[in-house]
Amino acid sequence: MTAVGPVGCPCGSGLAYDECCGPVVRNERPADTAEELMRSRYTAYALGDVDHVFRSWHPATRPDELDQLPRLDWTGLEIVETVDGGPGDDHGVVEFRASYAGGVLHERSRFTRRAGRWVYLDGITSEE
């Protein structure tokens, strides 16, 4: 599990956790964009926050239960491309590379709005 300190948010935005993904992960406010939700999901994986990952996953595609997350040492996030997914959109795509000790997860993720909130729908992944 990655520690959150004054250095910055695990998503690599350069902002402090409480100014970046913290409020979204803690469910204090919804993500404004698909990319913001994707960054918060990466952060939740890095911190081991199962609740946020489950809550931000579309119920049609998420598992019935999510007891724990893969135990990986996440080391960095690179946004490759964002298509739509802005405040006025209903759908968006975020392609990213999430590095972990021993590899890289490359995914092109689809997001949609559900009841006005961004949720992760699904993605095409590859290990690098």
Side-chain angles (χ1 to χ4, degrees):
M1 187 184 298
T2 302
V4 177
V7 176
C9 189
C11 81
S13 68
L15 298 173
Y17 175 71
D18 285 339
E19 297 171 4
C20 189
C21 293
V24 178
V25 171
R26 292 188 302 261
N27 203 28
E28 295 170 0
R29 68 169 183 83
D32 291 330
T33 66
E35 181 178 330
E36 185 178 28
L37 182 64
M38 205 278 341
R39 286 180 174 279
S40 75
R41 287 175 56 83
Y42 170 85
T43 295
Y45 273 96
L47 299 176
D49 190 315
V50 175
D51 291 338
H52 179 64
V53 172
F54 187 80
R55 182 177 59 247
S56 62
W57 203 329
H58 196 290
T61 57
R62 74 179 174 215
D64 292 333
E65 293 182 18
L66 188 61
D67 296 328
Q68 64 184 24
L69 300 174
R71 293 185 179 259
L72 297 173
D73 182 15
W74 295 101
T75 58
L77 176 66
E78 173 194 356
I79 303 300
V80 176
E81 181 181 26
T82 301
V83 179
D84 298 327
D89 296 322
D90 289 328
H91 304 283
V93 173
V94 180
E95 182 177 351
F96 66 91
R97 286 188 181 91
S99 302
Y100 58 91
V104 175
L105 172 68
H106 183 186
E107 180 168 319
R108 190 163 179 87
S109 301
R110 294 189 312 153
F111 295 85
T112 190
R113 285 197 190 263
R114 184 170 191 271
R117 297 174 72 102
W118 284 108
V119 291
Y120 169 79
L121 187 57
D122 58 20
I124 299 171
T125 61
S126 62
E127 299 283 332
E128 295 181 357

